[in-house]
Amino acid sequence: MPAMGDEPARRLLAAAAGRLGWQHGPIPLALNTVPRDGRPACVRCAQCVGHACPVDAKNGSHNTSLPRALATHNADVVFNAEALSVTDSRSGATVELMLDTSGTPSTRSVRCDVVVVAAGAVETARLLLASGLGNAHLGRHLHDHRFVAMLATADEPVKSGIGPGHSIATLDHVHSSTIPWGGGVLCDLMSVLPLTSAGAPSDPTLPRWGSGHKEWMRGGRSHAFGVFGIGQEIPAESSGVTLAPFLRDRWGRPGARLRKDAHPASILIDDGLAEQAARWLAAADARNIHRQRSGGSASAAGEHSCGTARMSSDPAGGATDPNGHLWGTHRVVVCDSSLHPTNGSVNPTLTIIANAYRVAENLAENWPG
Ligand code: SF4
């Protein structure tokens, strides 16, 4: 599919990147830019980031791979079910499920040749730890991305308040000499809803209420833009998911306890992203260039969490083999962002999908291996 259409922020930053001698381009987005597979193209609503799509133009497993799997009649989806534990043996594996379909929860055991766990970096580790599986690496090295936002004001309106949001990016600072330790991608700041932009205004002197604020909402908000950096976070062995000693979920199972320690190299990446983002905005003749200090990577596990069952060709170095087979088990495979030894310097979705196809292909060709 072609890239999303042009917009003012892309044109302004593209000209600035050209002046700096940086390569740049539109951003690959997991949405229909044209009608495809019986679903419409994006209609550029104002609420893309963090919300369901009103026209089903966003692509996810719910409207791509799962319907295709069901159409083969070789797959079932069990709704309102939660995996409680996994048991593994040379002769077979079992998943214990809690079904909650009729208001009366009941358990069911499913025997299988292979269990593929793909519940994300937190819940995959929690399920396998609660099942007593895996080696000492399971749950460790929880990491994410370094998120840095530089806010600014443009002389002309550059943000129209419509989706999908990010429009232009440069990869010139990924594994380059400008930012240490892998650096990261720089892109224009996403489109956000009015309340969100009011909470983090591009101009720190902006009145937070009253007529001055309303005036900014009507006109000034479209001048507010910025550059967003997504940096490679360096994994720390001390960061991770463990079973909470006291917290229990509704089925009485231990909750996930999260810990995140920022590696000193990650702080250098943050600073490098901020410096290059400020250069880009200055080249675009932006005013009020400043770094947003709230939010960012404060939480232990964010939207891009990964690393808790990292791949390694040697069990001394990771929780799974390079094909996701959990070390120390016969029939348990992990297939999600938990496998990432590092998360790369851009959003991980495409890597997760590509890796899932690789793991699946290996399973189909080599199991039992
Ligand atoms: S902007 Fe995002 S949520 Fe809105 S229509 Fe397009 S893809 Fe859907």
Side-chain angles (χ1 to χ4, degrees):
M1 287 182 278
M4 286 300 295
D6 209 357
E7 62 178 16
R10 189 192 296 175
R11 288 193 288 276
L12 182 72
L13 287 170
R19 284 193 280 281
L20 291 166
W22 294 357
Q23 303 281 318
H24 58 84
I27 297 180
L29 299 163
L31 54 84
N32 285 1
T33 60
V34 292
R36 185 184 166 95
D37 278 348
R39 291 183 290 109
C42 165
V43 295
R44 310 198 71 172
C45 74
Q47 55 183 46
C48 195
V49 177
H51 298 88
C53 179
V55 297
D56 204 18
K58 279 188 191 175
N59 293 298
S61 49
H62 65 293
N63 58 11
T64 57
S65 48
L66 279 178
R68 284 175 210 152
L70 291 172
T72 66
H73 303 293
N74 289 325
D76 284 325
V77 174
V78 182
F79 292 97
N80 297 317
E82 198 174 330
L84 300 180
S85 64
V86 176
T87 52
D88 168 76
S89 73
R90 195 175 291 281
S91 58
T94 306
V95 181
E96 192 75 6
L97 291 178
M98 179 66 82
L99 301 177
D100 193 10
T101 47
S102 57
T104 313
S106 60
T107 56
R108 185 199 289 177
S109 291
V110 181
R111 288 278 294 171
C112 32
D113 289 338
V114 186
V115 181
V116 179
V117 184
V122 174
E123 292 295 326
T124 285
R126 177 184 170 219
L127 175 64
L128 294 173
L129 287 169
S131 304
L133 299 174
N135 65 15
H137 284 282
L138 182 66
R140 290 190 184 173
H141 297 107
L142 174 68
H143 64 291
D144 198 286
H145 271 127
R146 306 301 298 184
F147 299 117
V148 172
M150 294 295 291
L151 306 178
T153 307
D155 285 340
E156 302 295 326
V158 287
K159 281 285 188 186
S160 42
I162 58 174
H166 298 299
S167 174
I168 179 173
T170 176
L171 296 170
D172 275 18
H173 306 287
V174 176
H175 291 290
S176 80
S177 58
T178 52
I179 302 177
W181 303 105
V185 65
L186 292 176
C187 56
D188 62 325
L189 211 53
M190 67 200 82
S191 300
V192 291
L193 292 170
L195 191 61
T196 311
S197 58
S202 59
D203 179 354
T205 63
L206 176 78
R208 295 301 183 101
W209 56 277
S211 57
H213 184 79
K214 288 178 184 169
E215 198 180 316
W216 179 81
M217 274 286 176
R218 290 189 197 103
R221 200 170 86 89
S222 60
H223 295 242
F225 79 132
V227 166
F228 192 61
I230 301 176
Q232 175 135 340
E233 180 160 44
I234 306 301
E237 195 181 41
S238 55
S239 299
V241 176
T242 50
L243 297 178
F246 304 115
L247 185 75
R248 294 289 179 270
D249 71 7
R250 61 184 174 147
W251 311 125
R253 298 182 311 156
R257 183 169 67 174
L258 312 178
R259 173 177 173 144
K260 172 73 81 66
D261 295 314
H263 193 287
S266 296
I267 309 298
L268 297 178
I269 292 171
D270 290 355
D271 294 342
L273 288 168
E275 186 184 330
Q276 298 304 327
R279 277 185 73 203
W280 199 2
L281 289 165
D285 293 328
R287 294 178 280 113
N288 299 324
I289 300 170
H290 64 284
R291 185 167 167 182
Q292 184 182 14
R293 289 288 179 179
S294 60
S297 303
S299 61
E303 299 162 21
H304 302 180
S305 302
C306 70
T308 52
R310 69 179 189 176
M311 297 178 280
S312 171
S313 51
D314 181 346
T320 76
D321 79 4
N323 291 309
H325 190 161
L326 190 69
W327 286 118
T329 67
H330 303 284
R331 295 172 177 274
V332 181
V333 171
V334 175
C335 188
D336 58 26
S337 63
S338 313
L339 295 179
H340 295 188
T342 61
N343 218 6
S345 306
V346 297
N347 281 18
T349 303
L350 297 180
T351 307
I352 294 167
I353 294 170
N355 198 37
Y357 280 118
R358 189 184 65 83
V359 168
E361 217 166 81
N362 179 70
L363 263 182
E365 283 172 9
N366 298 323
W367 195 269

